[in-house]
Amino acid sequence: MADYANRIIDVIGSSKVGLASTLDQFYASAQSLSGNPSSIDLRSKFLRDADGIAAGFREISGQLITIESDSKAEIQSEIGKLNEYSKQLAVVNVQLHGQKHSASQPPQLLDQRDQLLREMSKLTAIRVNTLENGEVDVSLGNGGGKDGIVQGAEVRPITAVFDVSSPSKVEIVIDPFGQPASVPGMASGSIGGLISFREQALEPTLNQLDSLASTFASAVNGINKEGVDLQGRTGGDLFAIEPMFKVDASVVPKGSPLANGEVVKATIVDNVGFAFHDLQLTYDSGKMLWIAKDMVSGVMAKGADSVVINGTRLEINGGGQDAQMLILRAVQHPSSSITLGQKDAIRVAAAALFRVTPAPLNASDITASITYQALAAQQAGPTALRQVLDNTANDAAGVRFVVPSAPGYLGLTTIPAGTSDAAVYLDNISSAGQNLQILTRDGRHLVGAGLTAELASSLLQEKNGFVAGATYSDSYLNRSGDKGYEGLTVFYGARALAQKVPVYTNSAAPSDHSISGYQTLPARIESARIADARGAPGSVMIAAGAITINGVVLGELVVPQPPSAVLQASDVAAWMNTVSAKSGVTVTASNRIEIAATRIQLANSGVSINGVDITPPVGQSSFASVQGLADAINARQVASGVTASVAADGSLALYAASGADISLAHIASRNDVFDDVALVTYHGSLSLSSASEVRVGMGVGGTVANLSRLGLRTGAYVDGVAQEDLLVYATGAGGASIAATYQANAFDPVETARGQKLEICFTSATDYRITDVATNTEIASRSYDPANGINIGGRNIKLSGAPSAGDRFTIDGNQDGVGNNDNIVRIVDLQKTRVTADGKTIGGAYNDLVGNISNVASQAKIAQQALQVVNQQAEQSRDKVSGVNLDEEAADLVRFQQAYQAAAKTMQIASQLFDYVAQIR
């Protein structure tokens, strides 16, 4: 741990390899460029130093990966030693096996056994079970059979399994080719130290370096994209991070579009949560979702066409098949793949995207500065159109909703900026007061019915998607063109436009579909059946002025006098036609009922139509055919006012002249010839047509309920391209449903804002309004907040002091990037800007990185020194039991030597005495 941690310090703390001096040089170049933003030489130097930052990240990452490779090789080497010692120990066990007691064993063998055990224990913690004859069994874990590596003469080798995407994940496996078993928690010895280094030092350092590289690139890119270059073009990314994952082709079916790794784009969105791990993607066709799984930690996430996991957004460009699986192999760390993405010095965006200019005659002498921050893709408020509604006018595809009585409104959807020709339809209303409302985030009411002050105050809240300080204005409500908001064309009511359809060349060749011209079809609205409208003769059904046709006001609609006293579709048509000369709209009424052949029971005996009994011919108990039924109906058409005809598929159609009602009823004592057909009064419907357009709108006192009574469908129409988000709400308690059609277009909010010229005018020292100069549209009216400044469409304007009434400031796009340095100054300020997730500057975060690994190295050194003392104490304790005292041994040696010499002298004298005795005669 200590040795390898110091190697990391040598890399990241080095003045040559480390990033500290390189970062200083980068900021110094940015500072120089801010002094002369037009200089090509300074721009080129800035890019060279930016390239030096990228190269520095790559160099450090490469060195760390080398250290990772070295530690991996050393783990494998140490494991090789452990396996070799195990083999030698097994040989010693075989030699010891011949004796029953250890006392009978040769001391040399026992010494050899003990030496091998000591060497093994230097590599990792071992558990030893000594048998009576001196043989030993060795295990790595708790001594159980699964962890045994030596048992008598049997040896089970071990191996290390490394995860390429996670240095901390090292699995030690016993007997990998037999009955493999994993050994958890090897934290001791040189093997344990190497594994601990990878877990506690190497991977955290790599992750922090990756996070720092991504944060730095994101911060600089974000600033550069919010500026303009020397030619007035919006800046792009200065740094690029190459793809970090590669699709494992082995798990992708041949021919699948997903076989190409480029279909999965990975982008870091959370630098703190980022983890460089292999990922698994599985498709669930039932839920139409991709499920992502971290193959190291097991963390899971899901999404439709993009998934965010481990701080990385995966965008999948292509649909999947059920249970289809992709493996994304982590192949490049962000720190090792960061490059300089911009080589053209002209493209450095030193100038700001926008400029703010005070009027020369302002009462105060304050100045203003402007910054731009791209708006979040998903802001507060209702969900975007395409995520809520299918792009169809079919009411069957509509979404049902219920507006609660309190607060009396409900967010339905958001028409995103860039959407063109949006139409939102309101169907199946349950109360007369229900309306669609379309507003800007600043509270400008564009389409719908006016809001009360109380309702507007409750609705215009930040939680509902409106900007802070938004105020309500109905100045542009249902108005278009010069009087409308930003020149938009809007309409609230029922509408149809003339359509141009292609005319194809009349050619004998079927493949020839060339267009010879276009034919204009008249605008036409086909209504549903009008609602039941019974009342006293002369009673008003719809008040005068409540309904308009192409802007022409209609008079009141009343119930006719006897004999009918029932409002018919023909009456409504006649009422609308009173203004046809001015409106250009012709209205006709009709009534048609289609009854499928399967619902006609010829065996039954009749039905009543408009009070006239329709029965089989005399002498017959049933109708012979559908045509026979139609003949019977036509025979009574003078009395009933209804004719019938039979279609080729056998269905029956009933018609009433001029759209009169058709009432179907039961005849007593007879079975109904129509099966499962409601026997009620069917009102007629209307057809409104014009050469150009038909617009049935709501005038004074008009409601959606009035249009619904006429069988007309209410829609809120916004023609043209919406330059900002529009919020769609429903007001009025009760249930209803909506459907929508729209055109989703590519939209560049930055360029759109840059092309817009706005004026801020302080109406007082504390209040201001924002006006679009080109259309003279008041976009917002708010109170001034000095702390937060003025925010409009991502632009933030800060004033240097307190404004005065009448002060004006103009905001527009900076079309000349030659003399402006606002954006490059922001890069200079990045040196002291806290951009990391934990609130640090780039330099501060790098210093923390160096400090963290220094702490690891320092702690390892302290632990090493402490453990050396423990080791010495252990050796002393061992020596007291199995070792010898050299002084004592030397004294014994002298004593034994003297005893030997005395014994030798005794033997010598005894021999001489014997010789003397032998010579006596």
Side-chain angles (χ1 to χ4, degrees):
M1 174 75 82
D3 293 344
Y4 274 93
N6 281 318
R7 283 186 61 181
I8 292 182
I9 293 173
D10 290 342
V11 173
I12 64 176
S14 165
S15 58
K16 294 183 178 179
V17 182
L19 282 177
S21 58
T22 313
L23 281 168
D24 291 340
Q25 185 64 38
F26 171 76
Y27 292 127
S29 292
Q31 180 71 53
S32 299
L33 180 57
S34 69
N36 186 6
S38 302
S39 169
I40 297 297
D41 289 341
L42 292 178
R43 286 168 170 265
S44 298
K45 184 176 186 305
F46 172 74
L47 286 180
R48 286 196 299 273
D49 290 332
D51 192 25
I53 292 282
F57 274 114
R58 295 195 304 271
E59 175 65 22
I60 293 174
S61 183
Q63 295 275 13
L64 293 180
I65 291 171
T66 298
I67 292 174
E68 187 274 336
S69 179
D70 290 348
S71 65
K72 176 181 176 180
E74 189 162 353
I75 289 175
Q76 291 171 327
S77 172
E78 298 292 82
I79 285 177
K81 291 180 184 177
L82 186 61
N83 287 332
E84 183 59 33
Y85 291 146
S86 296
K87 292 177 184 177
Q88 294 177 22
L89 189 60
V91 172
V92 172
N93 278 342
V94 170
Q95 293 173 342
L96 293 172
H97 189 69
Q99 301 293 334
K100 291 184 178 182
H101 301 285
S102 60
S104 305
Q105 299 289 7
Q108 296 88 341
L109 277 179
L110 297 178
D111 288 343
Q112 186 179 356
R113 177 201 67 185
D114 292 345
Q115 181 61 32
L116 288 171
L117 291 174
R118 279 195 293 273
E119 294 301 325
M120 293 173 76
S121 69
K122 291 178 183 178
L123 300 174
T124 186
I126 59 173
R127 288 180 179 270
V128 181
N129 179 35
T130 306
L131 304 183
E132 187 178 357
N133 67 348
E135 290 184 57
V136 290
D137 295 336
V138 179
S139 60
L140 299 182
N142 57 11
K146 291 184 178 180
D147 299 326
I149 58 173
V150 178
Q151 188 169 15
E154 182 184 350
V155 176
R156 298 174 70 204
I158 68 171
T159 189
V161 179
F162 297 87
D163 190 313
V164 234
S165 66
S166 177
S168 67
K169 192 174 182 183
V170 181
E171 184 182 14
I172 304 299
V173 179
I174 296 177
D175 198 9
F177 306 109
Q179 296 179 339
S182 180
V183 180
M186 288 188 68
S188 295
S190 57
I191 296 176
L194 288 164
I195 293 175
S196 296
F197 160 74
R198 293 169 68 92
E199 291 176 351
Q200 300 172 27
L202 181 60
E203 183 166 42
T205 302
L206 268 171
N207 287 342
Q208 289 176 55
L209 188 68
D210 286 340
S211 174
L212 195 59
S214 178
T215 301
F216 177 75
S218 298
V220 175
N221 288 345
I223 294 174
N224 200 65
K225 287 191 289 188
E226 293 169 7
V228 292
D229 64 14
L230 274 179
Q231 297 178 349
R233 297 170 295 179
T234 305
D237 288 341
L238 276 183
F239 294 100
I241 293 181
E242 297 175 3
M244 298 165 291
F245 298 93
K246 182 179 180 181
V247 175
D248 188 342
S250 64
V251 297
V252 181
K254 289 184 178 179
S256 168
L258 295 171
N260 182 357
E262 294 179 359
V263 299
V264 182
K265 179 183 177 183
T267 308
I268 299 176
V269 293
D270 178 6
N271 297 306
V272 176
F274 175 76
F276 188 66
H277 295 167
D278 286 353
L279 302 172
Q280 174 184 292
L281 282 173
T282 308
Y283 191 70
D284 184 337
S285 62
K287 298 179 180 178
M288 299 181 69
L289 293 174
W290 285 98
I291 301 170
K293 179 181 179 182
D294 183 327
M295 297 180 69
V296 176
S297 67
V299 171
M300 300 181 73
K302 57 187 176 180
D305 50 9
S306 68
V307 185
V308 176
I309 185 171
N310 288 347
T312 307
R313 176 184 290 112
L314 304 173
E315 297 176 57
I316 303 100
N317 182 21
Q321 301 171 351
D322 192 39
Q324 182 176 12
M325 184 178 71
L326 302 176
I327 301 296
L328 302 184
R329 300 294 182 193
V331 292
Q332 283 196 111
H333 286 273
S335 55
S336 63
S337 61
I338 183 173
T339 59
L340 183 67
Q342 182 55 257
K343 303 295 177 65
D344 186 354
I346 291 175
R347 292 291 287 142
V348 176
L353 283 171
F354 300 92
R355 62 185 177 185
V356 56
T357 309
L361 299 180
N362 281 352
S364 67
D365 59 355
I366 61 173
T367 58
S369 61
I370 185 169
T371 56
Y372 178 79
Q373 179 67 48
L375 297 173
Q378 183 62 49
Q379 301 179 66
T383 309
L385 262 178
R386 66 184 182 89
Q387 296 175 296
V388 177
L389 299 168
D390 292 334
N391 193 359
T392 175
N394 189 343
D395 60 353
V399 174
R400 187 75 181 168
F401 64 87
V402 177
V403 179
S405 56
Y409 59 81
L410 180 70
L412 300 179
T413 186
T414 295
I415 301 173
T419 305
S420 61
D421 301 331
V424 183
Y425 302 98
L426 181 63
D427 300 305
N428 308 311
I429 62 171
S430 58
S431 66
Q434 290 186 289
N435 278 288
L436 287 174
Q437 314 285 5
I438 300 181
L439 303 96
T440 69
R441 291 189 183 273
D442 250 297
R444 308 303 93 170
H445 199 170
L446 307 188
V447 185
L451 305 178
T452 65
E454 181 181 3
L455 183 58
S457 176
S458 173
L459 176 61
L460 268 63
Q461 304 291 326
E462 288 186 69
K463 64 181 180 180
N464 294 328
F466 295 90
V467 300
T471 56
Y472 177 71
S473 171
D474 60 1
S475 299
Y476 304 104
L477 182 59
N478 300 325
R479 295 187 176 187
S480 298
D482 294 341
K483 296 182 179 180
Y485 183 83
E486 297 275 35
L488 285 173
T489 297
V490 302
F491 182 69
Y492 190 42
R495 190 187 76 170
L497 302 176
Q499 301 291 322
K500 281 189 175 182
V501 295
V503 177
Y504 295 97
T505 303
N506 185 12
S507 172
S511 60
D512 187 357
H513 297 294
S514 59
I515 298 174
S516 60
Y518 291 87
Q519 176 186 4
T520 301
L521 300 180
R524 185 179 300 276
I525 294 178
E526 300 293 343
S527 80
R529 299 183 185 280
I530 67 170
D532 187 59
R534 298 178 184 273
S539 62
V540 177
M541 292 290 101
I542 297 178
I547 299 296
T548 64
I549 299 181
N550 283 359
V552 181
V553 178
L554 281 166
E556 62 183 13
L557 177 63
V558 300
V559 176
Q561 298 296 324
S564 69
V566 175
L567 196 66
Q568 305 277 327
S570 55
D571 299 320
V572 177
W575 170 63
M576 290 183 164
N577 281 327
T578 58
V579 298
S580 62
K582 293 182 178 180
S583 68
V585 177
T586 302
V587 186
T588 59
S590 62
N591 197 354
R592 173 189 174 95
I593 303 174
E594 291 188 5
I595 302 171
T598 56
R599 294 188 174 184
I600 300 173
Q601 301 297 323
L602 296 175
N604 293 341
S605 54
V607 69
S608 174
I609 301 179
N610 285 348
V612 177
D613 291 348
I614 307 298
T615 58
V618 177
Q620 296 182 16
S621 60
S622 61
F623 297 102
S625 63
V626 177
Q627 185 59 56
L629 173 60
D631 292 342
I633 294 171
N634 290 331
R636 305 297 305 275
Q637 65 173 314
V638 175
S640 67
V642 176
T643 59
S645 66
V646 181
D649 62 359
S651 61
L652 180 71
L654 305 179
Y655 305 88
S658 302
D661 291 349
I662 300 176
S663 295
L664 303 181
H666 173 71
I667 301 176
S669 303
R670 287 181 178 269
N671 295 324
D672 300 323
V673 71
F674 298 140
D675 179 42
D676 197 26
V677 175
L679 300 181
V680 296
T681 297
Y682 292 84
H683 303 295
S685 57
L686 306 172
S687 177
L688 296 79
S689 63
S690 171
S692 56
E693 66 174 343
V694 177
R695 290 181 290 111
V696 183
M698 290 165 275
V700 178
T703 64
V704 175
N706 293 148
L707 294 181
S708 181
R709 172 170 284 184
L710 302 176
L712 298 174
R713 187 185 196 190
T714 298
Y717 301 87
V718 181
D719 295 343
V721 180
Q723 302 296 313
E724 58 187 291
D725 289 351
L726 303 177
L727 309 180
V728 182
Y729 274 82
T731 56
S737 62
I738 59 166
T741 58
Y742 50 90
Q743 180 67 47
N745 306 306
F747 182 72
D748 188 337
V750 176
E751 287 306 311
T752 300
R754 277 166 50 76
Q756 187 181 43
K757 187 175 183 179
L758 303 178
E759 182 185 72
I760 301 172
C761 177
F762 279 87
T763 55
S764 72
T766 56
D767 298 293
Y768 64 91
R769 66 170 179 266
I770 302 176
T771 304
D772 184 328
V773 175
T775 61
N776 197 31
T777 300
E778 182 186 285
I779 293 176
S781 178
R782 310 176 191 150
S783 295
Y784 177 57
D785 178 2
N788 294 317
I790 299 170
N791 292 285
I792 182 71
R795 289 152 286 183
N796 177 258
I797 298 92
K798 290 289 184 68
L799 303 180
S800 62
S804 301
D807 282 356
R808 295 173 183 269
F809 299 86
T810 302
I811 304 169
D812 60 6
N814 188 358
Q815 304 302 321
D816 181 3
V818 175
N820 186 281
N821 70 347
D822 288 351
N823 212 50
I824 195 66
V825 167
R826 292 177 62 198
I827 292 183
V828 176
D829 290 342
L830 189 62
Q831 187 172 15
K832 55 180 182 291
T833 304
R834 301 178 184 275
V835 293
T836 65
D838 55 352
K840 302 287 180 62
T841 64
I842 296 295
Y846 187 74
N847 289 337
D848 283 354
L849 176 61
V850 177
N852 290 341
I853 191 62
S854 296
N855 289 338
V856 171
S858 177
Q859 291 170 6
K861 189 65 177 177
I862 293 171
Q864 183 185 42
Q865 292 170 350
L867 290 173
Q868 282 175 345
V869 175
V870 174
N871 184 59
Q872 289 171 0
Q873 292 174 344
E875 288 179 347
Q876 290 172 3
S877 299
R878 180 198 63 193
D879 291 345
K880 286 181 180 178
V881 176
S882 61
V884 294
N885 187 306
L886 294 181
D887 292 339
E888 183 179 341
E889 290 297 315
D892 286 344
L893 182 60
V894 172
R895 181 165 53 85
F896 291 142
Q897 183 179 11
Q898 290 176 345
Y900 174 80
Q901 290 173 347
K905 189 66 176 176
T906 301
M907 291 180 64
Q908 180 184 8
I909 292 173
S911 177
Q912 289 175 353
L913 289 174
F914 180 77
D915 289 342
Y916 289 145
V917 171
Q919 292 175 5
I920 297 175
R921 299 195 181 249

